[in-house]
Amino acid sequence: MEIQAKSGPRALPKEDRPRERLIRYGAEALSDEALLSIVLVSGVRGKNVTLLARELIEKLDGEKDVPPVHELRRIAGLGESKACAVAAMLEIGRRKWAPGQRVRHPIDIYNHIRHYADRRQERFLCLSLNGANEILATRIVTIGLVDKTIVHPREVFADAILDRASAIIVAHNHPSGNIRPSKEDNEITSRLKNAGDILGITFLDHVIFSETHFLSLRDEGLIR
């Protein structure tokens, strides 16, 4: 919301502010930006908490693991105290809830990654899974333009190999809201399927998603 970007959460009606919405609807109803705004509490002169949270999201989306405090502090306005709070929050979340979630249906994938749907650029994600289809790791492989991202199989499978993954699932958001696969989406799906066959890592699915919908290319019969 534009007023929030310019003036921060306090410019919103009280009932629409992140903390009040968290209390009323639960954490799962809030965007990543709103959740980080609560953790950060406040911004600094010239940068309200919403803008600070947005910059932090951009930083975190480019990281494969929880970044150290000295890396977080490179964000202007993120001092030692806030950086420590963010690092602690991310690490406890990773320890408690990140690994082990089992994928039984594409809706499980969507629920796991849907918080990326509000990004203004495409995020291409790769989920590494073990033999029981439990998620070992979820990573952003590339960040693209508004409506296109460029992906190479070696970037997708590099971490999956290190994870000793038995299978992978890839997904990416369509900022436009149109979740129908493009010609390029179908081509990269085919390339990844072939690469997985060679590497012995099963390519399970490619999910395209928006803030409200998702599409599984396997369910659509586009992955043989």
Side-chain angles (χ1 to χ4, degrees):
M1 186 178 294
E2 188 66 22
I3 187 173
Q4 185 176 1
K6 288 184 177 180
S7 305
R10 290 186 178 278
L12 296 170
K14 185 174 181 180
E15 64 272 15
D16 291 334
R17 295 173 187 172
R19 189 175 299 172
E20 282 70 20
R21 292 184 62 231
L22 175 69
I23 294 170
R24 184 177 296 113
Y25 303 114
E28 64 276 7
L30 274 67
S31 67
D32 289 359
E33 183 180 291
L35 291 170
L36 284 176
S37 295
I38 294 172
V39 173
L40 294 171
V41 181
S42 62
V44 294
R45 184 182 295 272
K47 184 185 292 185
N48 64 50
V49 69
T50 301
L51 295 177
L52 188 57
R54 189 170 298 165
E55 287 190 25
L56 179 55
I57 287 172
E58 292 294 325
K59 168 69 176 173
L60 296 177
D61 280 358
E63 299 288 336
K64 293 182 178 180
D65 297 302
V66 176
V69 170
H70 71 270
E71 286 287 339
L72 293 172
R73 290 193 63 188
R74 292 183 179 178
I75 299 173
L78 202 64
E80 184 175 88
S81 178
K82 291 182 187 297
C84 286
V86 169
M89 171 202 69
L90 294 172
E91 179 60 20
I92 193 65
R94 185 190 68 79
R95 293 181 185 181
K96 296 290 289 183
W97 295 289
Q101 179 180 343
R102 190 170 185 180
V103 174
R104 295 180 174 85
H105 186 274
I107 188 65
D108 299 326
I109 306 167
Y110 181 56
N111 288 335
H112 183 71
I113 48 96
R114 67 185 301 173
H115 59 283
Y116 288 107
D118 63 353
R119 305 303 197 259
R120 297 177 182 178
Q121 296 174 311
E122 284 192 6
R123 264 61 171 171
F124 194 95
L125 311 168
C126 180
L127 288 68
S128 295
L129 292 86
N130 63 19
N133 284 355
E134 295 170 336
I135 298 173
L136 300 172
T138 303
R139 299 181 177 91
I140 295 177
V141 179
T142 59
I143 298 175
L145 303 175
V146 173
D147 58 355
K148 183 172 68 175
T149 187
I150 300 172
V151 184
H152 194 283
R154 66 170 173 264
E155 298 169 331
V156 173
F157 284 97
D159 288 311
I161 292 171
L162 293 176
D163 294 335
R164 298 184 180 276
S166 296
I168 66 164
I169 295 168
V170 299
H172 74 280
N173 63 309
H174 274 186
S176 67
N178 179 5
I179 58 172
R180 296 306 306 177
S182 65
K183 177 183 176 182
E184 291 78 13
D185 293 335
N186 289 326
E187 288 176 350
I188 188 60
T189 298
S190 179
R191 293 178 66 193
L192 292 175
K193 173 67 168 59
N194 292 337
D197 290 343
I198 293 171
L199 292 169
I201 298 177
T202 303
F203 183 80
L204 288 178
D205 206 347
H206 185 173
V207 173
I208 301 172
F209 63 101
S210 68
E211 293 190 62
T212 55
H213 299 86
F214 73 93
L215 178 146
S216 159
L217 270 70
R218 181 170 292 280
D219 279 1
E220 292 291 309
L222 299 174
I223 300 176
R224 295 183 182 275

